Amino acid sequence: MVKDDFIIKTTNLTKSYGPHVALNKLNLSVPHGATGLLGPNGAGKSTFLKTILGLIQTTEGEGTVLGLDIRTQGDQIRSRIGYMPEYDSLNPDMEAIHQVRYSGELLGMNPTIALSRAHEALQYVGLGEQRYRTIGSYSTGMKQATKLACALIHDPELIIADEPSNGLDITARNYMIETLTNTVLTGNRSVLMASHLMDDVERVCDNFILLHKGKLAAQGRIEDLKAFDREIEIHVWGGASRLEEAMIAQGLGVRREGRVMRILHEQEDTTSIIMRCAADVGAQIRRMHEYEASLEDLFLSIMENLGYDVKSSEDLLASPVQARKVDAPEHMGGGSA
Ligand SMILES: Nc1ncnc2c1ncn2[C@@H]1O[C@H](COP(=O)(O)OP(=O)(O)OP(=O)(O)O)[C@@H](O)[C@H]1O
Ligand SMILES: [Mg+2]
């Protein structure tokens, strides 16, 4: 396959559960490499993944994965990709080695090859020593690693992982993130991972897709977005309000929290405009530094632009109950939950 081909493409992809529209006319193109699928609870991340794998039927629209039609070639798609589902897909009574071997056999691998690949895959995810233990005795981290081994058994070119670090402690989470990163960098494989942990996405991925309420909220390269959203942070002593007004009058984008302000760094001379405004209004700037937005900040600013009152992604994503509170304003068709 040509390197710059898109591995996943969808056109007007729509999925409704009865009257509920979970995916709303999605037009997406996912490039090679690692892509993070972000969005709050109920955004449609898992539905999107299941739809492109042909596991659930689309309501409208179409798409391809590795050039295969998601409506008619689901079997072929699933044999070429590795899928790590969100739910616990493992049999607690099975030894990990046999669970992984079995998932290879389900993909049509010959049992001997499946078994030898299962050893390799478990070794790769860090479970070499524990591979003969039953899954019921495993920690959450070990279960997630087993799910990843199942997804890697046939050495797929694309790994689709739904919340791979969900419920993991720091050590297990770091290990999972490193394994995924290695798979992309050393293994030269593509990864599409759904996550609500900005940090994980930032560590593994170059690209991101942000879904909200089944719609595409933003998409692009993480690097480009971060460069775009550069800000200068200043700490002001005396005259903060006057300075804020003066800068806004000069056309600068200002976000203020008390004496700390962040000014969008959109033009070369932003710093000198800030200094001139401060001199004009007699405000003292105590500290000034360039501030590069984290993915977390970007997520918040995108959500804010969409009209959502969000404190942090942790708040937003901590629990479905909380996510429902952060609903769309009424004028945008929300407020129903
Ligand atoms: N089988 C189903 N039947 C009815 N509604 C469903 C079904 N599966 C998902 N939904 C609804 O579709 C929407 C999208 O759900 P989905 O699980 O895709 O979101 P998500 O982004 O993966 O969320 P999370 O972060 O909680 O995993 C939600 O409103 C959900 O309640
Ligand atoms: Mg999900």
Side-chain angles (χ1 to χ4, degrees):
M1 184 181 293
V2 189
K3 257 294 168 215
D4 56 8
D5 267 353
F6 290 109
I7 48 173
I8 300 166
K9 269 187 167 180
T10 69
T11 311
N12 284 327
L13 187 67
T14 301
K15 174 67 194 177
S16 303
Y17 294 108
H20 181 72
V21 184
L23 298 178
N24 197 341
K25 295 194 170 65
L26 282 185
N27 292 301
L28 287 179
S29 302
V30 180
H32 281 270
T35 301
L37 182 59
L38 295 162
N41 290 117
K45 302 181 296 296
S46 299
T47 302
F48 176 71
L49 298 183
K50 285 184 263 188
T51 309
I52 59 169
L53 290 174
L55 289 170
I56 53 179
Q57 285 290 313
T58 61
T59 306
E60 257 181 75
E62 54 196 71
T64 55
V65 175
L66 303 172
L68 299 162
D69 190 329
I70 62 172
R71 292 168 305 180
T72 55
Q73 295 178 294
D75 284 348
Q76 286 173 64
I77 292 173
R78 292 192 295 279
S79 71
R80 300 239 336 247
I81 62 94
Y83 175 46
M84 189 181 162
E86 182 177 39
Y87 53 86
D88 187 356
S89 52
L90 307 170
N91 180 344
D93 300 326
M94 249 180 170
E95 290 172 7
I97 183 73
H98 295 300
Q99 174 82 75
V100 179
R101 171 189 54 81
Y102 179 61
S103 63
E105 287 177 19
L106 285 180
L107 287 162
M109 289 171 87
N110 142 332
T112 318
I113 293 173
L115 182 62
S116 89
R117 277 290 306 161
H119 285 289
E120 287 173 26
L122 283 164
Q123 191 75 41
Y124 181 74
V125 300
L127 290 175
E129 304 282 307
Q130 294 100 334
R131 62 193 190 273
Y132 291 109
R133 275 172 57 181
T134 54
I135 289 162
S137 73
Y138 272 9
S139 68
T140 311
M142 293 162 82
K143 285 181 189 162
Q144 285 296 90
T146 307
K147 275 159 64 177
L148 180 58
C150 290
L152 295 174
I153 179 93
H154 54 313
D155 198 16
E157 58 203 281
L158 167 63
I159 293 99
I160 291 183
D162 200 346
E163 305 280 357
S165 54
N166 210 15
L168 304 193
D169 63 30
I170 284 285
T171 317
R173 179 178 162 198
N174 283 337
Y175 198 85
M176 173 62 68
I177 293 306
E178 272 167 36
T179 310
L180 287 169
T181 306
N182 279 338
T183 308
V184 179
L185 296 181
T186 317
N188 197 24
R189 299 290 181 263
S190 291
V191 167
L192 173 62
M193 62 181 263
S195 180
H196 60 265
L197 299 170
M198 307 295 134
D199 217 33
D200 289 0
V201 168
E202 218 172 340
R203 283 164 69 190
V204 181
C205 304
D206 298 320
N207 304 293
F208 79 98
I209 292 167
L210 175 62
L211 294 185
H212 195 263
K213 296 207 156 203
K215 288 190 176 161
L216 179 62
Q219 176 182 25
R221 284 176 58 81
I222 292 171
E223 199 181 274
D224 292 348
L225 245 189
K226 289 174 89 171
F228 171 78
D229 217 24
R230 275 206 337 247
E231 290 179 311
I232 295 170
E233 183 171 292
I234 56 172
H235 294 232
V236 186
W237 194 259
S241 299
R242 292 197 307 277
L243 177 58
E244 184 186 12
E245 278 169 30
M247 290 191 299
I248 290 169
Q250 289 296 316
L252 297 182
V254 184
R255 293 198 291 150
R256 177 179 168 193
E257 204 153 307
R259 285 190 298 209
V260 180
M261 292 186 225
R262 291 215 183 125
I263 299 106
L264 271 183
H265 195 176
E266 286 171 325
Q267 54 213 67
E268 281 302 312
D269 58 347
T270 303
T271 313
S272 44
I273 299 176
I274 296 171
M275 298 304 278
R276 208 170 53 231
C277 289
D280 288 350
V281 302
Q284 269 190 53
I285 294 173
R286 283 291 170 96
R287 240 191 295 166
M288 182 182 238
H289 57 94
E290 278 253 15
Y291 172 85
E292 193 187 75
S294 67
L295 196 52
E296 171 84 28
D297 296 315
L298 290 169
F299 175 81
L300 295 181
S301 81
I302 291 167
M303 297 302 277
E304 206 174 283
N305 288 341
L306 289 171
Y308 297 92
D309 179 20
V310 186
K311 285 202 178 62
S312 78
S313 65
E314 288 298 318
D315 289 349
L316 178 66
L317 304 159
S319 73
V321 180
Q322 222 147 8
R324 278 196 289 275
K325 279 189 201 152
V326 192
D327 214 338
E330 241 154 7
H331 71 273
M332 291 180 70
S336 52

